Structures are given as structure tokens and as C-alpha cells.
Amino acid sequence: MRLVRSDSTCPAKARRRRLRYACVALLTASAATLSPVEPASAALLDDIKSDANWILSAQLPDGSIANYIDRQAVWPYLASFAAMGLARAAAVTGNKTYVAAAWQWAFWYQAHMDARGFVTDYKMQNGTLVSTGSMDSTDSYAATFLLAVRDAYRVTGDLTRLGKLQTGITAAVGAIEATQNPDGLTWAKPTWLVKYLMDQAETYSGLLAAQSLAQTLKASALATRAASDAGKMRTGVANLWNSLTASYDWAVQSDATHVSTDWSFLYPDALSQAWAVAFGLVDSPRQSDLVTRFIVAQPNWAIPTALALFRGSGQQQVGYWPVAGVALYRVGNPMAGASVSSIRSAAISAQRAWPFTTGDAGRLILLEAFTLPGAVTFDAKTVTVTSSPSPSRSPTPLPSTSPTPTAPSPSPTPTPTPAPTPAPTPAATGTPTPTPGSSSILPSLSPIVSPAPR
């Protein structure tokens, strides 16, 4: 969704996706009654509460969740991840305030849908949120909204609230279908004709969430639609497998050209593979093979201040990618626990300075709480984690065989030309303006076959 893509086929989406990177939507498995998870590390719960409270400080009175605590812009993709984190925080701490905030976000999103089910980004002007008239994507925005609603419902079992969101749930499915092609894959949005693997991963899980919600609401026709759409998408992604690179092609352009993966690029190439695993698009044993390949190719992926190669923009700081950590947990990789400590320590050391966002905080909560009861992946699969890592107050180094990435070998894929990514308005208090490609916000990339500007 909204991460700034790093290839000719990467729009501003990469920018926010980067924000999105870290979050695999872990959903709570049940519960009409909220009660703290027992037993749980007090330090771990303190960390989750701290992150949740930080997100709450960015929520506006109308229910919208800004991308940062300066409350100067609302990027729905990030806000939905923040809401997922709040719902999960409520489940493990018993604090109903968190999930109430998630519900408020869902109602804000529904109220701001247009006739097609699309929602734009908003910015603050003279104390009022004003639409920018554009969005990073339509497929991932709709999908993450659906996941946020499912998370909130699973924590509370509030059928009354869920029923009031049925219009929005239906519209979100329509928004996804608006760009779904016969091959099952979705364009990022009507004016950006590129099919991203990252978007397919998020959208697939979003459609499964829609199916589940529709079944709960006894909307059988909608449930059937969502399930059919998800099935087509899964088949479409399977057709992206490239035996030459032992990975999925990470994008398909408007002329049907596939963009193959070069594992030397952290973003979007390698991370797209982690996304596919985290969101449930990969079956065993391939998912374990992809995670192993990911770790070997990108040993510093969980060290936010380390350097890595980004397609189209060279070396950049790694930034925050909790979603990849979910992929590790999903296959039982022992490095998953260390990644939690490493990512969080970097964020806290930087005092959650921009480009750390509310979306990052939400995804971080999902990753932190993955070892606690009730955690499930975006596609609603329960993953049993045998041990819960203790939160580390200092950076936890991860194994690294190459601290500084070397230049990649020439790739047959044409080198993309980065497109400028509009930076959010800095807060009056001095929130730094993000640098494209840094930390949580990736540079926007123009497609190899240029689509309409995003």
C-alpha cells in the first residue's frame, strides 16, 4: 500500500508502504470481553501501552488518525495500521480506550468514502482537514480498512457497531474490484496501472477479512464476492513465481511486462517476498525458503539505522519493517524475537522522530504482541510461538554478514527514475520534513512504462 515504491513501477506508494512495511496485521482471535493477557512480561505490556498511547496522541476529535503526532496529515493507509495496533493493544492490556479509538477511525473512513469507495489523503489547513484529492493507492487503502474493522470486531464482538459499518465494508470490496483485472491482480489505483506484489498481499488478506465480516453480518452475497475475488488474486500471485530468481516478480506493468526480483535490493524486491509470506500468499515449504533467502540477502533488515539498497535511489537507511518480522514468526524463524527488540530500540532511541509514523507504531504493536495469546496473521491464521522475547531497552544486534551492502550486479530490469514524493507538512513544533527514501518513508518511483502520475 502506501510505501514508496522503489522501482520504475513504484509510486508514492512505496513512501507509505515503507510505513506499511512493518506491519503484518496481527489480529486478535476472539473476545467479546477484554482482559489482559496472562501471563505476560510487564515490560512488554508497558512497551505496547506506550506505543498505543503515542498513537492516541495523534488521533483527532473526529476519529481520524494523523500520520504523526503533529496532526498535520491523515494518510488512511497508515491510519488503518495504527488502528490495527490499537485493537491488538486493547486485547492484550484490557484497555477499552484503545479499541474504541480503532472503531472511531473505521467510522471516519466510511464517512469519507466517495461513490466508488475510495478515500483520499487529507492535510490540515487552518485547523481543518482538507482532502488532497489523491491517494497513494485504492487497493491497499480499502484492504487495510477492512483489516482494521475485523481487528476491532474480534476484540469487542460488537455486532451493533459492525452493522453500522456494513455500507463501508461493501464499498471497500467494490473499491478493490474497481482495479482488479481478469488475472486476479489489482492495479494500485485507476490512474497508476502497476500491479504490486505488496499490494496483492495486503489486498488478499483484506478480502478474506471482508469475507469473514460479511459472514458475521449474514451478507452471503458479499461474502461470496469477497471470497471469489481473493481466490482469483491468489491464483494471479501464484503466476508471478519466477524460477530463475527463486522469488515472485514484484510488479507487473500495464503492458504485462513482469519486473523480476533482485535480492540485493531491500526495497521493494526482497521485502515484497516477506510481504507475500506475512500476508498468507505463500504455501509451505516455499514460505520458509523465501524467509531464509530474505535473511541471507538482507541481514540488516531489522536494524533501522543500517544501510541497504533501494531500487532507484541507491543506499538508504533501512527504516522500520515490522511486517517482515511477522513473516519470520510465521515460519518459526528464531531471529524473529531479536528483530522485535532491534526495531523498537531504534524507534525509542530516536524518540519516535519522523519518519517514524503512527502506522509504524501500529505495526510495531502487532509485532511486539505476536508472542502473546490471540495473535493471528493478516489472513487469520494462528501461529504458535513457543517463547516470548523480553523487550530490550538497548539495541539488539542481529547476525550480519555484510554491514554495508555492495552494489548489485547489473539487472535486466531497466533502472527506474525516482519520482518526487510530496513530504508531509512539518509540525509547527519542528517535526523534520522527511527525506525521500529515509526510514519510514520511501521515495516514489515512476513505472518503467510510465503510468499516469500518482
Side-chain angles (χ1 to χ4, degrees):
M1 136 128 243
R2 196 163 217 190
L3 304 174
V4 187
R5 276 119 197 239
S6 63
D7 184 1
S8 57
T9 61
C10 293
K13 180 164 272 204
R15 164 190 73 195
R16 295 167 189 189
R17 173 154 277 150
R18 205 180 183 175
L19 306 178
R20 90 169 56 183
Y21 45 42
C23 62
V24 155
L26 308 178
L27 307 168
T28 65
S30 70
T33 302
L34 294 180
S35 59
V37 172
E38 295 293 347
S41 161
L44 176 58
L45 289 180
D46 284 345
D47 286 347
I48 292 172
K49 291 175 184 177
S50 175
D51 293 331
N53 289 335
W54 189 79
I55 293 173
L56 288 183
S57 71
Q59 187 165 38
L60 283 75
D62 64 359
S64 61
I65 300 177
N67 59 4
Y68 196 68
I69 56 175
D70 58 11
R71 300 184 178 187
Q72 293 302 299
V74 175
W75 294 349
Y77 172 79
L78 296 182
S80 288
F81 274 121
M84 292 178 216
L86 288 172
R88 183 68 176 127
V92 300
T93 67
N95 188 334
K96 297 180 181 180
T97 299
Y98 298 146
V99 73
W103 279 117
Q104 289 176 329
W105 161 249
F107 281 103
W108 184 94
Y109 189 101
Q110 175 178 257
H112 289 76
M113 286 176 155
D114 67 15
R116 299 168 297 175
F118 300 163
V119 176
T120 66
D121 294 337
Y122 281 75
K123 61 182 178 181
M124 189 67 73
Q125 287 186 350
N126 300 319
T128 301
L129 280 179
V130 178
S131 172
T132 64
S134 64
M135 69 289 285
D136 183 68
S137 68
T138 55
D139 55 359
S140 287
Y141 277 39
T144 51
F145 161 72
L146 291 166
L147 288 167
V149 173
R150 184 173 70 177
D151 279 6
Y153 176 71
R154 285 189 167 177
V155 173
T156 63
D158 192 332
L159 192 57
T160 298
R161 278 177 169 163
L162 182 62
K164 292 178 180 179
L165 286 171
Q166 184 167 348
T167 297
I169 293 168
T170 302
V173 172
I176 291 171
E177 292 173 336
T179 63
Q180 188 168 32
N181 285 244
D183 64 359
L185 306 181
T186 52
W187 301 125
K189 60 181 180 180
T191 57
W192 192 263
L193 304 185
V194 180
K195 303 167 186 175
Y196 295 104
L197 177 58
M198 279 182 158
D199 283 41
Q200 311 311 312
E202 293 165 342
T203 304
Y204 171 72
S205 284
L207 287 168
L208 293 183
Q211 177 189 7
S212 174
L213 293 169
Q215 289 171 336
T216 299
L217 292 167
K218 301 187 185 309
S220 58
L222 179 60
T224 299
R225 274 175 59 193
S228 176
D229 294 339
K232 293 173 184 176
M233 182 167 285
R234 189 177 183 88
T235 298
V237 169
N239 292 330
L240 298 181
W241 182 254
N242 187 327
S243 59
L244 296 178
T245 61
S247 62
Y248 293 94
D249 291 337
W250 66 268
V252 181
Q253 301 177 77
S254 59
D255 64 355
T257 299
H258 286 215
V259 185
S260 61
T261 293
D262 181 337
W263 285 94
S264 67
F265 289 113
L266 172 64
Y267 186 89
D269 304 48
L271 279 166
S272 291
Q273 311 308 308
W275 241 250
V277 172
F279 285 84
L281 277 174
V282 186
D283 295 321
S284 298
R286 183 174 288 173
Q287 59 181 357
S288 294
D289 295 340
L290 284 174
V291 167
T292 298
R293 182 75 182 273
F294 173 75
I295 293 172
V296 171
Q298 301 294 337
N300 295 331
W301 72 270
I303 304 176
T305 57
L307 295 178
L309 288 169
F310 285 71
R311 184 181 285 270
S313 54
Q315 284 193 355
Q316 304 284 338
Q317 283 196 330
V318 167
Y320 309 96
W321 301 97
V323 170
V326 173
L328 267 66
Y329 269 133
R330 184 166 189 139
V331 302
N333 189 286
M335 289 176 61
S339 72
V340 178
S341 298
S342 180
I343 294 171
R344 187 170 204 281
S345 294
I348 298 305
S349 294
Q351 299 182 322
R352 297 191 182 94
W354 183 270
F356 187 80
T357 69
T358 51
D360 294 327
R363 290 183 290 248
L364 185 54
I365 290 172
L366 298 175
L367 181 61
E368 290 170 329
F370 202 81
T371 58
L372 301 178
V376 300
T377 58
F378 272 130
D379 56 325
K381 296 294 189 300
T382 300
V383 177
T384 301
V385 180
T386 56
S387 62
S388 176
S390 298
S392 173
R393 304 301 175 178
S394 59
T396 302
L398 296 175
S400 174
T401 56
S402 56
T404 302
T406 56
S409 302
S411 169
T413 302
T415 301
T417 301
T421 301
T425 305
T429 54
T431 301
T433 299
T435 300
S438 67
S439 194
S440 291
I441 302 219
L442 299 183
S444 173
L445 302 175
S446 320
I448 296 174
V449 176
S450 297
R454 299 203 75 173

